[in-house]
């Protein structure tokens, strides 16, 4: 609610004027109760007075009486000479009451009166954001900040709206040295002279590596238009606008002829989630092979694999199992335990009870990736209590450059990808020499595991 500018527009009755001005002084001094009393008396005589309704509406809003706030502000806005502030405050009251459509209409009325009212633009953006319309929120906030760069509420709203769109993992990802080095090695080796398509360009980092490595052309697509805008800005900042075309589209919406002049013969992508599949890599690749790439196109990475080992130990059980705490049995809470947990196990002591084995391995030059299920026999190499499968990923960027985030006791560098713990239904005692038989499935988006049996 915007303070100020509540003074009446001029009235002959001196007593009434005094009453209203006194109410305003009370309001400014934070004495809301006497202000309300005076305003009620005043409005009993002048029920449609715009400034008095505006002031009382504002006070009701501050007191959390949103229905009364709305009623008074509606009256203020209906009066001849209603001002943008009144519509702005009505917007806030309606938004507080959950009437987002009404709030937007009120803010739009305010903007029709004062198009450069930065506070109104910022308030309007809050409603757009709550409605799940971040692009509109961002446009309104950018306008607000162009008008008033120091408007702190718009600055905060813009940061919050960006955060809805751009996950914080982008930052450790773009600073993940082993990842970047592995991509860079393969890109410099493979792309010179070729037509590159970078799927999921983010900051544009891999596309810029490709351009610098001497690609004949680089098209970089990014599904999120706000991120794509920033990629374009970054590409320009690095002097590569004439070499890289950033396209704000999901790769499956691209077409040769309109978006790409011809099929690309190298596809670069880093659209791997920690669990490998949930960013939709398999469907994107199938589409790219069918619609966007030459028959002999090279894919970087050429292979992606999910690996695992059987593990247990108190540190892991504490993350996923409810048991005995302080002498109380909390076991029924296990009903709520997640079957998958992303977690970084580097430096976390735990028991490794088997060798490493592959869950699924994908040749990314394949044209189809059907759902799949397989039985895997895992020899137990150490006796202990198994409570999880620890899963991680390996990318073969080309025949020489590899990346893997197997958990290490003392890693040389930080990986941004986490490991994934697949929780076993309950901890199982296993003996060295025994075999755990697992069923591993993937539905193209997720890998899931179940235990078939344990054979001693
Ligand atoms: C994991 S980030 C990687 C960014 C960048 N390639 C890098 O390596 O630093 C993936 C980005 O790709 C976008 N994305 C994921 N799948 C996509 C697809 N099939 N087409 C276009 N963008 C995609 C996401 O919005 C996200 O910004």
């Amino acid at each position: 609610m915007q303070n100020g500018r509540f003074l009446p527009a001029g009235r002959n009755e001196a007593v009434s004027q005094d009453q209203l001005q006194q109410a305003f002084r009370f309001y400014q001094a934070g004495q809301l109760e006497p202000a309300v009393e005076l305003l009620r008396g005043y409005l009993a005589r002048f029920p449609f007075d715009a400034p008095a309704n505006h002031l009382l509406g504002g006070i009701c809003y501050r007191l959390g009486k949103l229905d009364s706030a709305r009623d008074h502000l509606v009256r203020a806005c209906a009066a001849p000479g209603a001002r943008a502030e009144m519509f702005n405050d009505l917007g806030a009251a309606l938004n507080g009451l959950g009437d987002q459509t009404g709030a937007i209409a009120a803010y739009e009325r305010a903007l029709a009166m004062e198009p450069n009212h930065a506070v109104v633009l910022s308030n309007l953006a809050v409603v757009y954001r709550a409605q799940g319309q971040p692009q509109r929120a961002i446009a309104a906030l950018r306008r607000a900040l162009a008008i008033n760069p120091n408007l702190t509420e718009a600055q905060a709203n813009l940061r919050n709206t960006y955060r809805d769109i751009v996950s914080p993992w982008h930052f450790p990802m773009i600073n993940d040295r082993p990842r970047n080095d592995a991509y860079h090695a393969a890109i410099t080796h493979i792309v010179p002279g070729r037509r590159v398509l970078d799927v999921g360009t983010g900051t544009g980092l891999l596309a810029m590596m490709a351009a610098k490595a001497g690609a004949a052309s680089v098209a970089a697509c990014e599904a999120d238009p706000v991120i794509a805008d920033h990629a374009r800005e970054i590409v320009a900042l690095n002097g590569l606008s004439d070499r890289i075309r950033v396209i704000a589209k999901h790769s499956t919406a691209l077409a040769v002829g309109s978006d790409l002049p011809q099929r690309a013969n190298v596809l670069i992508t880093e659209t791997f989630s920690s669990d490998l599949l949930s960013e939709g890599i398999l469907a994107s690749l199938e589409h790219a092979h069918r619609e966007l790439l030459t028959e002999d196109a090279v894919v970087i990475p050429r292979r992606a694999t999910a690996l695992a080992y059987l593990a247990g130990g108190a540190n892991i059980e504490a993350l996923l199992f409810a048991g005995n705490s302080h002498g109380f049995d909390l076991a029924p809470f296990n009903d709520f335990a997640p079957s998958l947990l992303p977690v970084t196990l580097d430096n976390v002591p735990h028991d490794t009870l088997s060798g490493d084995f592959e869950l699924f391995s994908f040749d990314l030059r394949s044209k189809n990736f059907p759902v799949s299920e397989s039985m895997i026999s895992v020899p137990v190499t150490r006796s202990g209590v198994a409570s999880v499968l620890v899963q991680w990923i390996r990318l073969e960027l080309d025949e020489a450059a590899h990346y893997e985030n197997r958990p290490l006791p003392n890693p040389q560098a930080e990986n941004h990808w986490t490991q994934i713990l697949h929780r076993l239904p309950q901890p199982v005692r296993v003996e060295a020499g025994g075999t755990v038989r697992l069923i591993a499935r993937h539905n193209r988006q997720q890998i899931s595991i179940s235990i078939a049996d344990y054979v001693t």
Side-chain angles (χ1 to χ4, degrees):
M1 230 352 103
Q2 175 99 342
N3 286 349
R5 296 218 248 152
F6 284 116
L7 284 172
R11 183 169 295 283
N12 290 333
E13 294 91 342
V15 177
S16 304
Q17 276 279 6
D18 282 355
Q19 211 175 1
L20 200 47
Q21 287 185 344
Q22 180 58 37
F24 186 63
R25 280 194 291 275
F26 278 140
Y27 167 77
Q28 282 185 313
Q31 295 174 274
L32 301 185
E33 295 302 329
V36 167
E37 209 164 300
L38 275 178
L39 285 165
R40 289 229 164 98
Y42 182 88
L43 283 168
R45 277 178 293 144
F46 308 105
F48 299 104
D49 183 273
N53 274 304
H54 185 201
L55 180 52
L56 188 52
I59 293 173
C60 291
Y61 181 90
R62 281 183 63 178
L63 292 170
K65 297 176 179 167
L66 296 184
D67 285 314
S68 304
R70 176 201 49 210
D71 295 346
H72 286 293
L73 290 165
V74 163
R75 268 192 203 169
C77 290
R83 290 179 293 104
E85 302 299 340
M86 297 174 185
F87 283 100
N88 180 46
D89 291 352
L90 175 60
L94 291 172
N95 189 37
L97 286 163
D99 178 2
Q100 293 175 334
T101 310
I104 288 175
Y107 290 135
E108 281 172 351
R109 290 285 301 276
L111 288 171
M113 293 171 170
E114 283 191 44
N116 288 333
H117 199 312
V119 173
V120 177
L121 284 163
S122 180
N123 291 341
L124 177 61
V126 169
V127 188
Y128 283 147
R129 179 177 174 226
Q131 283 190 325
Q133 299 195 70
Q135 322 293 350
R136 297 186 87 165
I138 287 167
L141 289 164
R142 284 189 178 150
R143 242 181 88 198
L145 288 167
I147 295 160
N148 180 359
N150 300 319
L151 189 63
T152 50
E153 64 218 66
Q155 290 165 349
N157 287 339
L158 186 59
R159 271 196 305 277
N160 292 337
T161 313
Y162 278 153
R163 263 204 299 276
D164 293 345
I165 295 175
V166 184
S167 305
W169 51 251
H170 274 269
F171 293 89
M173 176 191 71
I174 56 189
N175 293 306
D176 183 335
R177 192 67 199 246
R179 178 197 87 122
N180 296 348
D181 285 349
Y183 269 92
H184 187 256
I187 286 170
T188 47
H189 168 216
I190 290 170
V191 309
R194 304 216 203 192
R195 296 184 305 278
V196 171
L197 170 61
D198 175 20
V199 167
T201 203
T203 56
L205 177 64
L206 304 182
M208 291 191 291
M209 286 182 188
K212 272 275 157 70
S217 64
V218 183
C221 69
E222 169 53 55
D224 190 288
V226 174
I227 298 181
D229 263 1
H230 280 68
R232 237 175 252 121
E233 186 185 328
I234 292 168
V235 164
L237 177 71
N238 288 280
L240 291 167
S241 295
D242 55 337
R243 314 262 308 274
I244 299 173
R245 180 147 177 260
V246 177
I247 307 162
K249 283 187 182 175
H250 194 273
S251 63
T252 54
L254 294 179
V256 171
S258 45
D259 300 303
L260 307 179
Q262 53 184 316
R263 286 177 179 256
N265 52 11
V266 175
L267 180 141
I268 303 171
T269 192
E270 199 286 74
T271 49
F272 299 96
S273 45
S274 290
D275 61 14
L276 197 67
L277 301 183
S278 63
E279 267 192 72
I281 176 85
L282 299 183
S284 300
L285 279 170
E286 283 176 350
H287 171 268
H289 281 301
R290 214 172 43 242
E291 306 287 338
L292 308 173
L293 300 178
T294 57
E295 192 56 34
D296 60 349
V298 179
V299 178
I300 304 174
R302 61 183 198 167
R303 178 171 287 278
T305 305
L307 294 117
Y309 57 70
L310 202 58
N315 290 327
I316 282 182
E317 280 187 30
L319 296 173
L320 281 168
F321 291 86
N324 208 298
S325 286
H326 239 74
F328 300 106
D329 185 356
L330 308 179
F333 215 73
N334 282 311
D335 285 350
F336 304 130
S339 51
L340 291 183
L341 185 70
V343 73
T344 296
L345 278 191
D346 290 337
N347 300 318
V348 176
H350 58 277
D351 303 330
T352 303
L353 304 174
S354 76
D356 299 351
F357 57 92
E358 288 186 1
L359 291 171
F360 290 102
S361 190
F362 300 94
D363 177 347
L364 301 184
R365 292 161 302 186
S366 305
K367 308 283 186 273
N368 288 298
F369 301 97
V371 298
S372 163
E373 176 174 311
S374 65
M375 174 81 85
I376 304 173
S377 292
V378 182
V380 176
T381 53
R382 182 179 155 191
S383 301
V385 176
S387 51
V388 295
L389 274 197
V390 175
Q391 183 201 317
W392 67 98
I393 65 175
R394 182 170 66 212
L395 303 177
E396 291 175 34
L397 288 308
D398 64 5
E399 62 276 11
H402 293 186
Y403 170 92
E404 182 167 340
N405 69 327
R406 187 189 194 282
L408 295 172
N410 291 302
Q412 297 296 302
E414 287 284 311
N415 294 304
H416 84 284
W417 277 295
T418 68
Q419 288 86 39
I420 302 290
L421 303 185
H422 291 264
R423 183 184 191 273
L424 305 186
Q426 62 215 12
V428 191
R429 172 151 283 287
V430 293
E431 303 295 334
T435 299
V436 175
R437 290 200 310 162
L438 303 167
I439 298 170
R441 303 180 180 83
H442 81 79
N443 62 3
R444 295 159 54 84
Q445 284 281 335
Q446 270 189 336
I447 293 172
S448 59
I449 307 292
S450 53
I451 290 211
D453 54 30
Y454 168 58
V455 192
T456 48

